[in-house]
Amino acid sequence: MHIHILGICGTFMGSLAILARAKGHKVTGSDANVYPPMSTLLENQGIELIEGYDPKQLEPAPDMVIIGNAMTRGNPCVEAVLEKGLPYTSGPQWLHDYILPERWVLAVAGTHGKTTTAGMLAWVLEDCGYKPGFLIGGVPGNFQVSAQLGESPFFVIEADEYDSAFFDKRSKFVHYSPRTLILNNLEFDHADIFDDLAAIQKQFHHLVRIVPGTGKIIMPDNDMNLKQTIGMGCWSEQEFTGETGDWQAKKLSNDSSHFEVFHKGERVGEVCWGLSGEHNMQNGLMAIVAAHHVGVLPADACEALDKFINARRRLELRGEVNQVSVYDDFAHHPTAILATLEALRSKVGGTARIIAVLEPRSNTMKMGISKDDIAPALGRADEVFLFQPPNIQWLVSDIAEHCVQPARWSTDLDTLVDMIAKEAQAGDHILIMSNGGFGGIHEKLLTKLAQPKDTDRQY
């Protein structure tokens, strides 16, 4: 078939394009902005990319148009597809119809940690010889691509609760039919499409409903929002992690980079890896439990995790200049901000200074839904710098006023960079948090830090 993908440069749609190409289809696609690294990754797979949405790209007519969830009515290509009666579908539906039949799907769902945990699980299966397929919303460090068909029945997928398309407002994950389901956690997020927590729980319960009776749902024992969701009805086997569950992880180092794994009170393995933070330790435990469901021994899974390399933008060290370290993280929700800062604090110790830099960029943050929780989440930082985007209806100064530590803000990115660089001292750790590119702030800051500091002139 000739498949044309609208919105191809998103991580999900780009991964889907790779799978379609691997199945032998001719794949083309378009996006508003075609740029690396996704454009390079796709072109290397032999996929033709078109910038913009001129309807001429639909001539001659493709056999199928896959429409990304960023596409809306009024988009020239969307209108042309509808006007001409071309066959179209959503990305998750295409996966359901053409990739996932007869596969043992291991899905990773939850508000936080999906990409990381899915990457861990895919790597454990790969390292243990299972040759899995996978689709992950990022490129795990142990792989060169974000998706592969694999050579076995097993398929790992990052199961997102965001909607599927403008014509299918169900969450993506209801299309995936998992046999093994990880539910990492559940909080209110995606305020642009969900009215409240109950609306998200309803979608999660749709996912729970389609797990077979012999399938397995893996979840922490202390998440009340998930417990409420499961309380709506569950027809599958359940396995819990945590103090009252069958599985526990107990840290052997302060930063959780070294921990033991216990199953029903018996020590079954030990992990010593390059990741930090209790949240990553719990993500790793989830991957171990899910892999166990398909036959991987916990000790083998632990050994694989020793070699795990996380996806980019997960507490990623971007550079060190004049003894100042600059990190990048995808954190875009108060819980994720807190977890990342705690991980960095446990890594660098209690006396090192941490400077937190935040861009409120996610749709939920832009709407101000979680605004009151941001200042407390930043509590482990010694200083805070906030960027005021031009397209939100509230002021980041409201957050600054509620921070317990010194907090400054700016509407201009270059000014913010100057402010941070002036404040930075040898031994500092600067953590930049955004779910976007943040205007290239990382390179700008590293360049600025390399320059001699301006001294106050005396007149």
Side-chain angles (χ1 to χ4, degrees):
M1 295 173 67
H2 172 200
I3 296 172
H4 187 71
I5 301 176
L6 301 180
I8 194 170
C9 285
T11 52
F12 175 78
M13 299 302 283
S15 299
L16 186 144
I18 292 170
L19 294 177
R21 187 74 187 89
K23 289 280 282 186
H25 301 297
K26 175 187 176 183
V27 181
T28 58
S30 62
D31 212 308
N33 296 294
V34 175
Y35 52 86
M38 185 56 79
S39 61
T40 307
L41 184 65
L42 293 173
E43 285 166 353
N44 288 343
Q45 300 284 329
I47 296 168
E48 179 191 345
L49 302 180
I50 301 162
E51 186 144 5
Y53 295 108
D54 188 328
K56 289 180 181 177
Q57 65 191 256
L58 298 171
E59 299 171 5
D63 299 300
M64 175 65 72
V65 180
I66 303 178
I67 300 178
N69 69 349
M71 302 296 102
T72 59
R73 286 301 304 266
N75 177 286
C77 280
V78 168
E79 295 303 316
V81 166
L82 297 175
E83 197 66 40
K84 296 178 179 180
L86 300 180
Y88 67 91
T89 188
S90 70
Q93 186 68 52
W94 187 85
L95 277 175
H96 174 274
D97 294 345
Y98 295 98
I99 299 294
L100 301 181
E102 300 181 12
R103 303 296 290 259
W104 181 313
V105 177
L106 300 96
V108 181
T111 307
H112 313 293
K114 291 186 292 294
T115 301
T116 298
T117 308
M120 291 173 181
L121 180 53
W123 170 243
V124 167
L125 296 183
E126 179 76 19
D127 193 56
C128 292
Y130 280 62
K131 298 182 179 179
F134 60 81
L135 189 156
I136 300 169
V139 181
N142 302 88
F143 298 97
Q144 298 299 312
V145 291
S146 56
Q148 70 179 28
L149 278 178
E151 300 175 32
S152 74
F154 304 108
F155 194 95
V156 177
I157 190 162
E158 178 178 336
D160 186 5
E161 69 269 29
Y162 214 79
D163 60 5
S164 298
F166 75 87
F167 51 87
D168 182 357
K169 306 314 279 185
R170 294 174 295 170
S171 290
K172 290 177 184 174
F173 57 37
V174 301
H175 299 277
Y176 299 157
S177 305
R179 182 167 291 276
T180 305
L181 172 61
I182 290 176
L183 298 176
N184 258 349
N185 41 61
L186 181 53
E187 288 191 83
F188 182 58
D189 197 10
H190 303 309
D192 50 324
I193 61 170
F194 294 116
D195 291 333
D196 50 29
L197 176 63
I200 301 178
Q201 287 176 308
K202 184 176 182 180
Q203 291 294 326
F204 269 75
H205 194 243
H206 289 331
L207 177 60
V208 167
R209 288 182 185 187
I210 58 175
V211 179
T214 55
K216 185 159 287 184
I217 298 175
I218 303 159
M219 54 188 280
D221 64 356
N222 61 352
D223 192 305
M224 292 309 299
N225 294 334
L226 284 175
K227 284 187 176 180
Q228 288 177 358
T229 304
I230 292 293
M232 299 178 195
C234 183
W235 301 265
S236 311
E237 297 176 16
Q238 298 172 52
E239 208 153 8
F240 293 92
T241 63
E243 289 185 10
T244 64
D246 285 341
W247 295 84
Q248 290 96 28
K250 297 181 180 179
K251 62 182 181 179
L252 295 171
S253 64
N254 188 53
D255 65 355
S256 303
S257 63
H258 188 193
F259 61 90
E260 296 174 298
V261 175
F262 292 84
H263 182 220
K264 296 182 178 179
E266 178 187 351
R267 185 183 181 279
V268 292
E270 182 178 321
V271 175
C272 189
W273 60 3
L275 279 67
S276 302
E278 289 192 25
H279 65 300
N280 279 323
M281 179 176 74
Q282 296 303 328
N283 290 338
L285 181 60
M286 286 289 190
I288 291 166
V289 179
H292 184 252
H293 188 218
V294 301
V296 177
L297 294 175
D300 293 337
C302 289
E303 193 174 320
L305 287 179
D306 285 346
K307 297 171 276 186
F308 176 70
I309 304 169
N310 210 349
R312 292 184 59 189
R313 309 208 60 205
R314 271 70 183 176
L315 200 52
E316 177 188 5
L317 180 63
R318 290 291 294 268
E320 188 174 334
V321 175
N322 293 327
Q323 299 177 56
V324 177
S325 301
V326 177
Y327 300 84
D328 181 26
D329 198 272
F330 196 71
H332 62 283
H333 183 284
T335 300
I337 292 168
L338 176 61
T340 301
L341 277 166
E342 286 183 339
L344 184 57
R345 174 59 69 198
S346 66
K347 180 184 178 73
V348 303
T351 57
R353 288 203 329 151
I354 295 176
I355 297 174
V357 184
L358 176 67
E359 177 192 30
R361 186 183 177 277
S362 71
N363 288 325
T364 302
M365 275 196 175
K366 285 179 183 176
M367 295 169 69
I369 301 297
S370 54
K371 182 178 72 171
D372 294 343
D373 299 322
I374 295 174
L378 291 164
R380 301 305 298 271
D382 297 285
E383 300 210 22
V384 171
F385 289 87
L386 303 161
F387 179 63
Q388 174 73 54
N391 56 348
I392 64 174
Q393 300 300 311
W394 55 276
L395 299 174
V396 295
S397 57
D398 295 343
I399 297 174
E401 288 173 6
H402 289 90
C403 285
V404 295
Q405 67 279 77
R408 278 151 279 192
W409 61 276
S410 178
T411 59
D412 180 75
L413 187 61
D414 291 331
T415 301
L416 191 70
V417 167
D418 289 343
M419 291 163 62
I420 300 166
K422 186 176 181 181
E423 190 60 35
Q425 305 168 13
D428 283 357
H429 300 267
I430 302 175
L431 174 61
I432 297 171
M433 293 174 283
S434 170
N435 69 335
F438 205 161
I441 188 174
H442 315 85
E443 292 305 320
K444 288 183 177 183
L445 183 55
L446 287 167
T447 300
K448 190 72 178 178
L449 288 168
Q451 298 172 0
K453 285 196 176 186
D454 293 332
T455 55
D456 294 329
R457 292 181 179 179
Q458 301 295 322
Y459 291 94

